[in-house]
Amino acid sequence: MRTHGAGTVALSDVDQEVTLAGWVQKRRDHGGITFFDLRDASGIVQVVADPLEHPTVEGLKMEFCVRVRGTVRKRPEGTENRDLATGLVEIGVDEIEVLAPAETLPFMIDDRTEVDERTRLEHRYLDLRRPRMAANLRARSRATAAIRRTLDEMGFLEVETPTLINSTPEGARDMLVPSRHRQGEFYALPQSPQLFKQLLMISGVERYFQIARCYRDEDTRADRQVEFTQLDLEGAFWERDDVLDTIEKVLAATAAEIRGVEIPLPFPRLTWHEAMDRYGVDKPDLRFGMEIVDLTEHLAGSEFGVFRNAIDADGTVRAINTGRREWSRARADQVTDRAKELGAQGLVWMVVEDDGSLRSPVAKFLSESETESIKKATDAVAGDVLLIAAGRWRTTVEVLGGLRNDLGKPSGHDELAFLWVIDFPLFEEDDDGSITFSHHPFTSPVSIDAMREQPETAISKAYDAVLNGIELGSGSIRIHDPEVQRQVFEILGIDRETAERRFGWFLEALQYGTPPHGGFAFGIDRLVMVLQGESSIREVIPFPKTQTGVDPMTGAPTWVEETQLAELGIELSAEARSRRGEETGSG
Ligand code: ASP
């Protein structure tokens, strides 16, 4: 249907006849002549026609789909558009044909118009015509191509694993699919391909990867989707550094492809404990400093009760220097409220005055040497605002880590700061006080004895990749000994019988000469989001769902026919039935 892409026509084509097809964008009439931009996937070119010769152009409206035969001309002096790749030329129309008219659109196809997200999602196919979204789609495709290329060169095998499976625990709820043949039984959609990739290691596939769709039914958390895409990868005869080296290469290749930057390798590494101690989070944003400073030893004898009590109770006193900033009573209250929200009992603030003294509600309780040590430890200079919290180590660093992010995080993603967080705890406390896995139950402990003796403090062979304060993904060296796997289940409160029932097939597989293995998975949505400078993964997912898992365009999830439900052996609750009646007008 066409000879050229609209965005590819250049000065070297002048005087050539070309046929183009695409959409009408920005039409204007000027001195009896009609101009419009013709857009296709390759870009935009200006088209010029005399409506007397080509009356069709008078009827052209925004986003009409058209075909144009014309001649490439150099634009007249002074009318060039240097912002446009094709800005030195235009197409003089010889013939124009409307391939498909368009109704008035719900919003403008440009990046300048603000459109609310629901409207965008209801007409996602139009939203994707907008340049920014089209660029995000292309970036995503280039990202997955770079990932495939890099892994292919390293000898990885791409293997697809099933998506109608038995549950694989990754800490979320399963999305379930009812079976028609076996009423009352359900498939789970994979939270990840975790156990299948481990089985592939047992099968002798030594290097596996997959660009895998994963499903996690999590309660509305900002910027999560019930379905998302991971690069999932696993290697046999691997130790931790084999995994980290491989993932670093993949991430660096993707960043190079999308941003044209060279990421210095290896990435910096912090242990989980260091990350918490210095940044108060397990996914620190290393684009800025404002590190947490330990003041405990300087304040051990303090007359200020809050500090002294915390220290006497084996707690800690920590500070961040938030730098020079406006500091009013109202601002102080606001930041204190935020600290409380993050779990603090209270927050102490101090402003360094020009004469070096400290302005603070607690200044009068501090000795001169304490004041000096605080300033020295925090590298404080006149104008700086210091924030200090005291209490249990974990809460204290988390509070300051939260404030650090609030006050220091750069907007956008111009800079890219990758890092590894290693040596995660094996287990953590659940909200109800019970013990749960921090990564997933297939992660190897560093020491089996330590795990048995003191599970609360045991360290695992798990690691996270972090980019600009966002957790990109996690991985670990796995348990390859069925006996150790049984013990981990037991510590997690899964008794032997339940473990056999749920994971017997996997425990059996482990006993046939399983090679030591490990792997990783990172979120492709999140990676592309950061590389494209977006702040939501919904901007880089072609057809995302809202925070409550709804697709406003197709209406999914939807009610199904009563007969279909009966085949599946599913009965609706009275409440669901009445809602269904209201929404569908059926009984
Ligand atoms: N399956 C893990 C996840 O989805 C990643 C891994 O351990 O390889 O987080």
Side-chain angles (χ1 to χ4, degrees):
M1 290 190 80
R2 56 184 166 189
T3 59
H4 288 68
T8 68
V9 186
L11 266 187
S12 54
D13 298 316
V14 166
D15 292 335
Q16 260 211 56
E17 192 188 275
V18 296
T19 307
L20 306 174
W23 290 267
V24 174
Q25 177 168 313
K26 257 213 324 218
R27 183 190 131 187
R28 60 217 170 269
D29 299 290
H30 199 67
I33 301 288
T34 298
F35 297 82
F36 66 87
D37 287 346
L38 182 75
R39 185 194 72 241
D40 68 12
S42 67
I44 287 176
V45 71
Q46 175 165 283
V47 177
V48 188
D50 181 344
L52 294 178
E53 278 173 51
H54 304 284
T56 317
V57 298
E58 286 197 286
L60 292 184
K61 296 215 194 86
M62 295 266 247
E63 298 300 311
F64 269 37
C65 187
V66 297
R67 178 150 82 150
V68 170
R69 192 168 55 75
T71 310
V72 183
R73 307 197 297 231
K74 194 169 179 312
R75 288 204 198 185
E77 257 325 275
T79 66
E80 299 96 340
N81 179 354
R82 305 265 163 201
D83 294 335
L84 203 62
T86 61
L88 300 179
V89 295
E90 61 191 15
I91 312 294
V93 169
D94 296 322
E95 193 186 334
I96 182 159
E97 173 192 357
V98 173
L99 298 173
E103 292 296 330
T104 307
L105 275 79
F107 48 80
M108 299 279 284
I109 307 298
D110 63 37
D111 287 338
R112 289 178 300 275
T113 318
E114 279 277 339
V115 186
D116 77 87
E117 196 176 27
R118 191 156 183 108
T119 312
R120 289 176 56 197
L121 292 184
E122 275 169 6
H123 301 91
R124 186 60 154 188
Y125 46 91
L126 294 178
D127 193 35
L128 293 175
R129 283 189 190 172
R130 307 205 299 167
R132 175 176 133 210
M133 297 306 289
N136 286 351
L137 272 186
R138 279 197 295 274
R140 192 181 174 113
S141 171
R142 280 163 52 215
T144 47
I147 291 169
R148 282 207 165 88
R149 195 163 55 235
T150 312
L151 290 170
D152 187 50
E153 279 164 14
M154 290 195 249
F156 278 75
L157 208 65
E158 182 169 5
V159 184
E160 288 178 75
T161 55
T163 56
L164 292 173
I165 64 171
N166 205 336
S167 173
T168 28
E170 294 278 2
R173 253 190 222 106
D174 287 320
M175 299 286 289
L176 298 173
V177 178
S179 157
R180 182 168 58 84
H181 290 295
R182 300 168 66 121
Q183 286 196 356
E185 296 182 19
F186 291 80
Y187 301 99
L189 298 177
Q191 292 188 32
S192 82
Q194 185 62 36
L195 291 179
F196 284 97
K197 66 174 169 175
Q198 291 193 236
L199 293 177
L200 288 170
M201 297 303 107
I202 302 174
S203 306
V205 173
E206 294 182 13
R207 303 282 177 271
Y208 144 92
F209 85 96
Q210 177 176 201
I211 293 180
R213 195 64 66 84
C214 304
Y215 303 83
R216 296 186 190 173
D217 187 6
E218 288 175 298
D219 290 326
T220 328
R221 274 210 251 165
D223 225 29
R224 299 233 172 187
Q225 288 274 306
V226 284
E227 56 177 309
F228 60 97
T229 309
Q230 285 190 340
L231 168 72
D232 192 48
L233 169 157
E234 196 80 6
F237 309 112
W238 260 6
E239 286 171 343
R240 181 188 70 200
D241 288 0
D242 301 302
V243 187
L244 303 195
D245 290 349
T246 306
I247 292 290
E248 275 177 358
K249 288 196 183 104
V250 173
L251 289 172
T254 315
E257 172 68 39
I258 306 295
R259 295 279 283 259
V261 292
E262 196 176 319
I263 305 291
L265 297 184
F267 299 165
R269 290 182 192 186
L270 290 175
T271 65
W272 174 85
H273 192 274
E274 276 174 299
M276 294 301 294
D277 209 47
R278 289 167 57 187
Y279 302 98
V281 282
D282 59 7
K283 41 176 190 279
D285 190 336
L286 295 193
R287 289 175 298 170
F288 65 105
M290 213 188 274
E291 280 189 37
I292 298 172
V293 179
D294 191 355
L295 300 178
T296 314
E297 70 173 291
H298 306 299
L299 298 171
S302 178
E303 285 191 19
F304 183 47
V306 171
F307 292 165
R308 208 188 42 244
N309 293 342
I311 296 169
D312 288 348
D314 267 343
T316 186
V317 183
R318 303 278 166 132
I320 52 173
N321 181 348
T322 72
R324 173 180 278 278
R325 60 182 65 236
E326 286 299 315
W327 198 252
S328 62
R329 192 74 234 186
R331 183 80 181 116
D333 290 346
Q334 209 182 28
V335 175
T336 306
D337 286 346
R338 173 73 180 129
K340 288 183 182 157
E341 227 175 80
L342 291 163
Q345 299 284 337
L347 185 73
V348 169
W349 56 264
M350 298 179 174
V351 182
V352 185
E353 301 280 34
D354 286 340
D355 64 2
S357 64
L358 289 177
R359 172 161 64 89
S360 167
V362 310
K364 56 180 176 293
F365 302 112
L366 300 174
S367 70
E368 198 165 317
S369 84
E370 284 167 343
T371 307
E372 281 315 305
S373 330
I374 293 176
K375 285 193 327 198
K376 188 143 176 266
T378 56
D379 275 333
V381 296
D384 283 351
V385 176
L386 314 180
L387 302 178
I388 307 181
R392 284 177 49 218
W393 172 78
R394 181 82 187 245
T395 321
T396 306
V397 292
E398 281 180 348
V399 167
L400 292 175
L403 296 177
R404 172 182 177 271
N405 271 341
D406 289 355
L407 298 171
K409 211 178 223 337
S411 64
H413 293 290
D414 288 344
E415 193 190 330
L416 300 175
F418 286 96
L419 88 138
W420 291 113
V421 179
I422 58 174
D423 294 348
F424 270 77
L426 188 58
F427 302 111
E428 60 190 30
E429 222 175 79
D430 220 348
D431 297 338
D432 64 3
S434 65
I435 195 164
T436 179
F437 47 86
S438 15
H439 182 37
H440 52 55
F442 313 103
T443 294
S444 176
V446 166
S447 146
I448 296 166
D449 292 337
M451 172 185 86
R452 276 201 216 107
E453 280 153 29
Q454 254 200 320
E456 317 82 60
T457 55
I459 303 292
S460 73
K461 294 189 183 170
Y463 27 79
D464 274 6
V466 178
L467 169 57
N468 292 358
I470 293 166
E471 182 199 320
L472 280 185
S474 320
S476 57
I477 295 300
R478 325 298 184 186
I479 298 166
H480 70 283
D481 172 343
E483 213 22 63
V484 176
Q485 187 64 70
R486 282 196 181 88
Q487 287 174 17
V488 168
F489 285 144
E490 227 162 291
I491 293 175
L492 289 169
I494 305 175
D495 61 60
R496 289 218 160 204
E497 218 175 288
T498 315
E500 285 306 325
R501 185 166 41 76
R502 285 185 61 193
F503 300 111
W505 57 276
F506 181 67
L507 291 167
E508 186 197 338
L510 284 178
Q511 62 191 9
Y512 302 120
T514 300
H517 60 286
F520 203 82
F522 65 74
I524 290 183
D525 312 302
R526 286 190 191 172
L527 176 63
V528 177
M529 170 188 92
V530 173
L531 295 178
Q532 285 298 93
E534 293 287 1
S535 55
S536 159
I537 56 170
R538 294 192 297 280
E539 305 295 359
V540 300
I541 296 177
F543 297 99
K545 295 183 179 55
T546 64
Q547 304 249 316
T548 49
V550 170
D551 172 8
M553 179 175 60
T554 65
T558 49
W559 298 106
V560 301
E561 295 294 332
E562 203 83 56
T563 49
Q564 219 176 337
L565 287 178
E567 274 182 356
L568 297 169
I570 293 177
E571 250 182 76
L572 293 184
S573 67
E575 194 209 320
R577 200 179 309 215
S578 91
R579 213 155 53 76
R580 176 196 160 108
E582 279 163 31
E583 287 175 21
T584 64
S586 72

